[in-house]
Amino acid sequence: MTRPRGAAARGVFPAVPAVRAATIRDVAKRAGVSVSTVSRVVSGTGYVNADTRRLVEKAIAELGYVPSASARGLVARRTGTLGLCLPDAGPAAHLREPARTGSGVELITDDGTAPGGPAWGSLYFGEVVRGAEFAAWQAGLSVIVAVARPPEAEARARDLAGRVDGLIVVAGTLPDDVVEHVAHRVPVVLVAGPRPAGGYDHVGVDNARGVQVLVEHLVRAHGIRDVRYVAGRAGTPDDIGRFRGFRAAMRALGLPVPAEPALRGDFSRATGRRLARGLLAEHRGGRSPMPGALVCANDETALGFLDVLTAEGFDVPGDVALTGFDGIDGGRTSSPRLTTVEQPMTGLGRLAVDVLRACLADPRLPRQDLLVPVRVLLRESCGTH
Amino acid sequence: MTRPRGAAARGVFPAVPAVRAATIRDVAKRAGVSVSTVSRVVSGTGYVNADTRRLVEKAIAELGYVPSASARGLVARRTGTLGLCLPDAGPAAHLREPARTGSGVELITDDGTAPGGPAWGSLYFGEVVRGAEFAAWQAGLSVIVAVARPPEAEARARDLAGRVDGLIVVAGTLPDDVVEHVAHRVPVVLVAGPRPAGGYDHVGVDNARGVQVLVEHLVRAHGIRDVRYVAGRAGTPDDIGRFRGFRAAMRALGLPVPAEPALRGDFSRATGRRLARGLLAEHRGGRSPMPGALVCANDETALGFLDVLTAEGFDVPGDVALTGFDGIDGGRTSSPRLTTVEQPMTGLGRLAVDVLRACLADPRLPRQDLLVPVRVLLRESCGTH
DNA sequence: TTGTACGCGTTATCAT
DNA sequence: ATGATAACGCGTACAA
């Protein structure tokens, strides 16, 4: 019975006024004890008489009392919450429409291009959330998930910083000056992207080691010697790291180390197709033999190559082995299935939280820059099986 | 220079003490104004002299001041945050291991059964998060994502309730008494599952209409008359709603309305296969003709049927049309691709937030029970194209 | 074992 | 246009 009798007595009906939530004082009064006793019962600290405790617990249950995190956070100077700031990636156009309700059912002939598919799923940010939430849960912390959407991204980020004990920011989601501003208040961990200049913690994916292990596998296990790297968009940290791994592998294998990628795309499937057509034209013009393997900067690029190669009658991996990077679903269902390096997105989220916790526990610790190890998934496109 | 000179003066080195974040008082002092003026500048309310404003803004930037959400929440009696409570579904075993870092790279021969795939993605909860975050963003609210994990789920839920203005709870994630308890403090919206008994808002998927429209399509567009329903686990709200839609369609079409589903599975692919084998045995025993269409309670079940039917040389949809429900990825990549009803998971998240906001704006509003409309995706397995 | 009182950072009210 | 001050709900010393 939290509904104030006053309202009913006054005949206000059927209006149910917003009842103010019970406070620790209400509980104390109802249990006939002081607020400190209630506090002790709730927090489990200090000694409380068993009978008194029961009395208090009864009052708590009856009133549906829940301690205010605002008040707790104010006195404790910590909120017990971490913030996770994600980029606004993915086709969110269909989200912009007003939410629909009611019984209208759309009948859609899906020719494979229907909009509205899961965008987070394919872009993995959901996985970062999952990993971060789990690590935070282990530490008894909550996570606020925030997507940095252009118009008011800065103001929102500042607001978020006021709500949390630490902030995880995916690289490129916020302007540098905003990151610097909020870093005055809470520790910030940057995720992915380039190693940050300032004094921030950073966690990334071990791009280089992933490609290196993959290339060494191609050469050692499959005896391929003419391995070529198909780059992604120039200047991106991912592309740089992956090409570095490629060169490291070639060096370690005693093979010629290229100064530049054999081909350069932009991470897109369409460009992968275009590059593939160019390669085939050269090959058919007799200007160059087909390489033994194409190591692509990402799965989309590799799938673009696969589209063209199989359409043109080439055997993958017989004529040319093909590998990607990311571990997207399309590479699991292609034929042949795509050998790739899996992006450890849950691992990124978890590690970011762990790094943040370390900084929270002791801010004097030196800033960290950690890489999450990857897994190389060997499937048919490289000749495995 | 937020670092207190005192520490350096005392020769404490290299210890960098945790600097207390700047408060509104620090800003006021630095700008030579009162806290009230700073508050006015930050919140944008009231009149502030342009010069004074500049002074304050300068101090804010220099100190990296960010207002405390705890303090704001305390006085405003609202946190500006919503809570989203999700079930602990999905194989999270690999999350239990400690997070790895360093340069160890695993080489895994992926025979299609490798663990560690995206579990949220396939289970859609990531989509609910996405939809909820978006709707909250539109309303200027934050979202705390919390997975209710068994050991301390109740205590965590109560804690969460203390941090938010409203709670979205996916059906079945919390015991009823916990939901009732926290509902004393904040409005609660239940998502999916059965229509709640108590006075909670509820949003669900329009299971019935989805199946109804699908069945009417099968009959009207493809001329199929012998349509049979393959149920999921008995007693589940989804199964009940979908079978209800099936019956409604048959009734509307003037076809015989079955009292019970023709077959009953449990939403799993394995059981779908088993049921399919049973059906084939009956058919080959001459005991029954093949139906014109099998309307399955979900995609997994339908894919189980598809596995067996195609393996046994049946033509789908030629010999028998097949449909599912959910819109999982497997149905988009199967062959033939599976006609299905798409689960509007982002829509669920959005609608839940909108309902919560309505309740927050006026608690006296009657409780709502809304259904998110679905989309029927016509693909080859029902004979489209 | 229990109660009293202060302060956490902010906003709103009132006075200037 | 600006400043002083009283809440907001809770934890925690300290007193009893």
Side-chain angles (χ1 to χ4, degrees):
Chain A
M1 259 327 184
T2 54
R3 184 165 147 195
R5 301 166 197 291
R10 261 182 269 115
V12 182
F13 191 81
V16 176
V19 282
R20 286 180 38 170
T23 74
I24 198 170
R25 262 193 263 264
D26 300 325
V27 176
K29 191 172 296 176
R30 181 160 194 132
V33 300
S34 73
V35 292
S36 45
T37 301
V38 177
S39 177
R40 279 188 286 266
V41 169
V42 171
S43 65
T45 63
Y47 298 87
V48 180
N49 184 293
D51 292 339
T52 312
R53 173 185 302 275
R54 256 188 296 280
L55 229 52
V56 172
E57 280 166 350
K58 182 154 164 288
I60 288 176
E62 287 170 354
L63 294 174
Y65 168 70
V66 174
S68 153
S70 294
R72 285 181 152 178
L74 191 55
V75 49
R77 283 217 193 72
R78 33 164 279 136
T79 62
T81 303
L82 303 181
L84 178 51
C85 199
L86 301 171
D88 187 21
H94 68 292
L95 276 179
R96 304 278 168 178
E97 308 158 17
R100 296 176 313 139
T101 177
S103 57
V105 177
E106 282 185 85
L107 249 179
I108 294 177
T109 301
D110 176 14
D111 56 1
T113 63
W120 265 23
S122 60
L123 289 171
Y124 296 108
F125 290 119
E127 291 301 295
V128 178
V129 175
R130 200 164 80 103
E133 190 279 336
F134 182 78
W137 176 83
Q138 286 188 310
L141 300 168
S142 309
V143 175
I144 292 181
V145 176
V147 173
R149 293 190 181 79
E152 338 167 24
E154 290 87 352
R156 297 294 192 107
R158 266 189 285 268
D159 179 88
L160 178 60
R163 305 177 171 275
V164 300
D165 297 330
L167 216 43
I168 298 167
V169 179
V170 173
T173 56
L174 295 175
D176 288 352
D177 61 325
V178 174
V179 174
E180 193 189 325
H181 185 125
V182 300
H184 280 264
R185 176 175 237 271
V186 292
V188 173
V189 174
L190 267 5
V191 171
R195 163 199 271 263
Y200 305 106
D201 286 310
H202 179 240
V203 301
V205 173
D206 200 346
N207 287 305
R209 290 282 303 167
V211 172
Q212 181 174 355
V213 169
L214 178 56
V215 170
E216 291 179 6
H217 168 82
L218 291 175
V219 174
R220 295 216 174 105
H222 299 294
I224 302 170
R225 298 194 67 79
D226 182 11
V227 186
R228 303 208 202 144
Y229 184 73
V230 181
R233 185 181 303 283
T236 60
D238 283 338
D239 186 67
I240 292 170
R242 291 170 198 175
F243 185 49
R244 187 152 46 78
F246 182 83
R247 287 167 45 94
M250 298 299 272
R251 195 175 307 118
L253 291 162
L255 294 173
V257 180
E260 295 294 329
L263 296 167
R264 178 167 295 285
D266 58 7
F267 292 127
S268 79
R269 188 160 184 162
T271 300
R273 288 203 197 98
R274 193 168 51 69
L275 293 176
R277 282 187 223 104
L279 183 73
L280 287 193
E282 278 206 15
H283 168 63
R284 289 183 171 144
R287 271 166 291 175
S288 69
M290 279 298 277
L294 292 164
V295 174
C296 301
N298 72 332
D299 286 349
E300 290 287 1
T301 301
L303 289 176
F305 269 84
L306 190 58
D307 292 338
V308 173
L309 288 171
T310 54
E312 298 290 325
F314 283 82
D315 176 31
V316 176
D319 296 328
V320 52
L322 192 64
T323 69
F325 198 116
D326 278 351
I328 67 174
D329 233 52
R332 229 170 27 78
T333 54
S334 61
S335 129
R337 295 183 309 141
L338 189 65
T339 288
T340 191
V341 181
E342 190 185 53
Q343 285 260 27
M345 300 306 270
T346 33
L348 264 188
R350 296 180 63 179
L351 191 59
V353 168
D354 290 345
V355 167
L356 207 43
R357 286 211 305 142
C359 179
L360 251 19
D362 185 358
R364 296 169 307 182
L365 254 35
R367 295 304 114 237
Q368 305 190 64
D369 183 9
L370 301 180
L371 295 180
V372 182
V374 297
R375 304 195 312 170
V376 176
L377 299 183
L378 302 178
R379 299 196 280 229
E380 290 77 22
S381 77
C382 74
T384 299
H385 289 202
Chain B
M1 256 329 182
T2 54
R3 182 164 147 196
R5 299 162 199 293
R10 263 183 269 115
V12 182
F13 192 80
V16 178
V19 282
R20 286 179 38 168
T23 73
I24 197 170
R25 263 193 261 263
D26 299 324
V27 177
K29 191 172 294 179
R30 181 160 195 130
V33 299
S34 72
V35 293
S36 315
T37 302
V38 178
S39 178
R40 278 189 284 264
V41 169
V42 171
S43 65
T45 63
Y47 298 88
V48 180
N49 184 293
D51 292 339
T52 313
R53 174 185 301 276
R54 257 189 296 280
L55 228 53
V56 171
E57 279 165 350
K58 183 155 163 286
I60 288 177
E62 287 169 353
L63 295 175
Y65 167 71
V66 174
S68 154
S70 294
R72 283 182 154 178
L74 191 55
V75 50
R77 282 213 192 73
R78 31 165 280 135
T79 61
T81 303
L82 303 181
L84 177 51
C85 198
L86 301 171
D88 186 21
H94 68 292
L95 277 179
R96 303 278 167 177
E97 307 158 20
R100 296 177 313 143
T101 177
S103 57
V105 176
E106 281 185 85
L107 250 178
I108 293 176
T109 301
D110 176 13
D111 56 2
T113 64
W120 265 26
S122 61
L123 288 170
Y124 296 108
F125 290 119
E127 291 301 295
V128 178
V129 174
R130 199 162 81 102
E133 190 280 336
F134 182 78
W137 175 84
Q138 285 187 311
L141 300 168
S142 309
V143 176
I144 292 182
V145 176
V147 173
R149 293 190 181 81
E152 338 168 24
E154 290 88 352
R156 297 295 192 106
R158 266 189 285 267
D159 179 88
L160 177 60
R163 306 175 171 275
V164 300
D165 297 331
L167 217 42
I168 299 167
V169 179
V170 173
T173 57
L174 295 175
D176 288 351
D177 61 326
V178 175
V179 173
E180 194 189 323
H181 185 126
V182 299
H184 282 262
R185 177 174 237 272
V186 293
V188 173
V189 174
L190 267 4
V191 171
R195 162 199 272 261
Y200 305 106
D201 285 310
H202 179 241
V203 303
V205 173
D206 201 345
N207 287 305
R209 289 283 303 166
V211 172
Q212 181 174 354
V213 169
L214 178 56
V215 170
E216 292 178 5
H217 168 82
L218 291 175
V219 174
R220 295 217 174 102
H222 300 294
I224 302 170
R225 298 194 66 80
D226 181 12
V227 186
R228 302 208 202 145
Y229 183 72
V230 182
R233 186 181 302 284
T236 60
D238 284 339
D239 186 67
I240 292 169
R242 290 169 198 175
F243 185 50
R244 188 152 45 80
F246 181 84
R247 288 167 45 96
M250 297 300 272
R251 194 176 306 119
L253 291 162
L255 294 173
V257 180
E260 295 294 327
L263 296 167
R264 178 167 297 284
D266 57 8
F267 292 128
S268 78
R269 188 159 183 161
T271 300
R273 289 203 196 96
R274 192 168 53 69
L275 293 176
R277 281 187 224 103
L279 183 72
L280 287 193
E282 276 207 16
H283 168 62
R284 287 184 172 145
R287 270 167 292 175
S288 70
M290 279 299 276
L294 291 164
V295 173
C296 300
N298 73 331
D299 286 350
E300 291 287 2
T301 300
L303 290 175
F305 269 84
L306 190 58
D307 292 338
V308 172
L309 289 171
T310 54
E312 298 290 325
F314 282 83
D315 176 32
V316 176
D319 296 328
V320 53
L322 192 65
T323 69
F325 199 115
D326 278 352
I328 68 175
D329 234 52
R332 231 173 21 80
T333 55
S334 60
S335 135
R337 296 182 310 140
L338 189 65
T339 288
T340 191
V341 182
E342 192 185 52
Q343 285 260 26
M345 299 306 270
T346 33
L348 263 188
R350 296 179 64 179
L351 190 59
V353 168
D354 291 345
V355 167
L356 208 43
R357 285 182 49 214
C359 179
L360 252 19
D362 185 358
R364 296 170 308 183
L365 254 35
R367 294 304 115 236
Q368 303 189 67
D369 183 9
L370 302 179
L371 296 180
V372 182
V374 297
R375 304 195 312 169
V376 176
L377 299 182
L378 302 177
R379 299 196 280 230
E380 290 76 23
S381 78
C382 74
T384 299
H385 289 202

